[in-house]
Amino acid sequence: MQVNRRSFLMGSAGAAAGLAFGAGSAVPAFAEGVSLRAMWWGSNDRAKRTLDVAKLYQSKTPGVTIVGESLSGDGYWTKLATQMAGRAIADVFQLEPGTISDYSKRGACLPLDEFLPSTLKVQSFGADMLKLTTIDGKLYGVGLGLNSFSMFFDTVEFEKAGIPLPTPDLTWDEYAKLAVELAKSSGKSGGPYAARYAYVFDAWLRQRGKSLFAKESVGLGFTADDATEWFDYWEKLRKAGGTVAADVQTLDQNTIDTNCLGLGKSVIGMAYSNQMVGYQLIIKNKLGITMLPREKKGGPSGHYYRPALIWSLGATTKNGEAAAKFIDFFVNDIEAGKILGVERGVPMSPVREAILPQLNPTEQETVKYVNLLKDQVGEYPPPVPMGATQFDQRVLRPICDELAFERVSPADAATRLIEEGKATLKG
């Protein structure tokens, strides 16, 4: 059964059971008893892995109770906004590169610097990796693994169509042709209507020396002409049958079970590389993974390494030390790493080497993909401005939905994107 929202309590009974087997005897107990709330979004598989690690932590840390809440889609951000307004943010909550800057600047996150390095032992991640979650000189989150953008594809449908599997040097022109061919041969759509995916648009812009957000100031890093070209590409492809229809694409809440590939409506999907694990769990046919298409052969890929997901501490937590210890366990404990695998990205700590031998074929593919990008990635972009989340959810996606329903032209959609985008972004 697919469940979109669940709450879990791993209480003292779970911790006592761990102690009965001798677990955690060397770990000091929190005598007064500490209850930590953890909140994240993701698939059922992610929820299970997270909860299993929480149970393991409790068994090794007497006196700590973890209350976990998993939400799906945009409901997560609605809940976080409610918590911020009520000054009751979860002790540990999940962010990602496109949101950590926004939420840290809005006061949602507690700086982690006071917990370094005594409680949070993340020095093995390397300075460059820590920069990815450092905003205005302070560390506001711990990356849980590396990933990048990617393209997933149903290998069986490619074989049926007699089309060679896509390679890392696939161009956008080539992608459009194969998407239409796949639609004709499979009875499904070729791929997503990816105009509404901010990260795909960003990669497309970076291939052309531009970016989604300005690098030196607060604002957009592209022009109305750029956006018109982008929208025009997807509209032509939609009308040629190479994308899912508008009513299918608007179902997408940036979750696996609402993505057109996850719904079984397309042969190709575009998502983050770590999500391949979750997609393969719900898709019967073997999936492949490769890079997003690029502007021209040998040209920039537009890709960059990014922390797949991030744990941050809520600014209102009364148990910062205990919450930081939980995060440290999450990223550094070998047993925890074996439970988590690479579902939240390829680990950045020494845990990576410890878990490699036990990874299943799908998980190994995600590691190979991250390694493949080594010579293809560009510089990590600066932190996004405040309002970046609203730009994605309340500006780009709605405009693209109107475009796909033919309620607005590519040129008019581009004009609106610039005007509304500028009004949304702040310093």
Side-chain angles (χ1 to χ4, degrees):
M1 185 174 91
Q2 186 74 28
V3 182
N4 289 328
R5 176 174 175 170
R6 290 160 296 173
S7 293
F8 309 88
L9 173 65
M10 290 75 68
S12 57
L19 288 174
F21 287 98
S25 58
V27 182
F30 290 87
E32 74 284 5
V34 172
S35 178
L36 297 175
R37 290 186 298 131
M39 187 173 77
W40 66 91
W41 72 84
S43 65
N44 289 347
D45 179 54
R46 176 175 298 165
K48 182 181 184 304
R49 291 172 189 260
T50 306
L51 294 171
D52 285 347
V53 169
K55 291 175 184 176
L56 177 64
Y57 182 69
Q58 287 186 159
S59 74
K60 294 186 174 186
T61 317
V64 174
T65 298
I66 309 289
V67 180
E69 185 173 16
S70 176
L71 296 97
S72 180
D74 293 338
Y76 179 87
W77 306 106
T78 301
K79 181 67 176 286
L80 181 55
T82 301
Q83 292 181 349
M84 290 171 65
R87 301 298 293 167
I89 305 167
D91 300 285
V92 180
F93 68 105
Q94 187 173 275
L95 292 172
E96 47 83 39
T99 56
I100 186 170
S101 176
D102 200 342
Y103 281 92
S104 63
K105 290 180 178 180
R106 290 164 60 187
C109 309
L110 183 73
L112 304 179
D113 304 82
E114 65 178 291
F115 306 114
L116 303 174
S118 58
T119 301
L120 271 175
K121 302 173 181 65
V122 292
Q123 55 270 29
S124 64
F125 286 20
D128 288 343
M129 292 300 101
L130 294 178
K131 286 180 182 177
L132 304 184
T133 51
T134 298
I135 312 297
D136 296 333
K138 293 183 179 181
L139 186 69
Y140 281 104
V142 174
L144 305 179
L146 281 178
N147 77 352
S148 189
F149 322 124
S150 64
M151 188 169 77
F152 302 146
F153 52 91
D154 186 325
T155 61
V156 174
E157 292 293 354
F158 268 84
E159 290 168 4
K160 286 181 180 178
I163 299 174
L165 299 181
T167 59
D169 63 349
L170 184 75
T171 67
W172 284 108
D173 287 342
E174 292 171 336
Y175 171 82
K177 293 176 183 177
L178 71 83
V180 173
E181 290 181 34
L182 287 167
K184 293 177 180 178
S185 66
S186 68
K188 302 179 181 181
S189 297
Y193 187 79
R196 74 199 298 271
Y197 294 163
Y199 55 90
V200 182
F201 186 30
D202 189 26
W204 186 87
L205 289 166
R206 286 168 62 91
Q207 292 166 5
R208 291 156 175 77
K210 300 187 179 184
S211 57
L212 193 62
F213 302 114
K215 297 177 180 179
E216 305 297 333
S217 60
V218 176
L220 300 172
F222 61 93
T223 66
D225 287 342
D226 297 322
T228 300
E229 184 181 352
W230 172 249
F231 290 148
D232 189 57
Y233 174 89
W234 290 104
E235 270 300 275
K236 287 179 178 177
L237 187 54
R238 181 186 64 81
K239 291 175 181 177
T243 78
V244 293
D247 60 340
V248 174
Q249 191 59 53
T250 53
L251 297 174
D252 194 338
Q253 297 184 48
N254 280 13
T255 61
I256 293 172
D257 57 337
T258 60
N259 183 283
C260 57
L261 178 64
L263 290 170
K265 301 293 186 180
S266 68
V267 179
I268 294 171
M270 295 177 184
Y272 297 109
S273 58
N274 63 292
Q275 292 181 307
M276 185 178 184
V277 176
Y279 276 96
Q280 191 63 83
L281 285 175
I282 65 171
I283 294 174
K284 180 180 178 181
N285 292 342
K286 184 180 184 299
L287 293 178
I289 181 173
T290 192
M291 299 170 67
L292 295 177
R294 65 184 77 205
E295 180 186 16
K296 58 185 178 182
K297 302 284 186 185
S301 71
H303 282 258
Y304 50 85
Y305 282 139
R306 62 197 293 283
L309 291 163
I310 297 159
W311 275 140
S312 290
L313 298 189
T316 57
T317 182
K318 297 179 180 178
N319 297 296
E321 182 74 18
K325 285 185 177 181
F326 175 66
I327 293 178
D328 181 77
F329 180 84
F330 208 90
V331 297
N332 285 320
D333 185 83
I334 300 298
E335 290 181 70
K338 290 179 178 179
I339 293 171
L340 295 167
V342 294
E343 195 277 332
R344 274 187 170 95
V346 179
M348 292 182 277
S349 72
V351 168
R352 179 189 299 194
E353 295 303 318
I355 70 171
L356 284 178
Q358 70 154 45
L359 298 180
N360 65 39
T362 302
E363 293 171 328
Q364 290 176 10
E365 284 298 311
T366 67
V367 176
K368 290 178 183 176
Y369 178 72
V370 168
N371 291 338
L372 165 74
L373 294 175
K374 183 178 180 181
D375 298 323
Q376 296 283 341
V377 292
E379 184 181 46
Y380 188 77
V384 299
M386 285 183 65
T389 303
Q390 288 82 355
F391 171 79
D392 176 20
Q393 298 178 357
R394 300 177 187 175
V395 179
L396 177 62
R397 291 191 219 171
I399 288 175
C400 289
D401 291 343
E402 290 188 46
L403 180 66
F405 278 111
E406 299 186 22
R407 295 170 183 162
V408 64
S409 69
D412 288 343
T415 299
R416 280 184 52 191
L417 185 66
I418 295 294
E419 292 175 352
E420 295 178 28
K422 286 180 178 179
T424 302
L425 302 180
K426 304 173 184 177

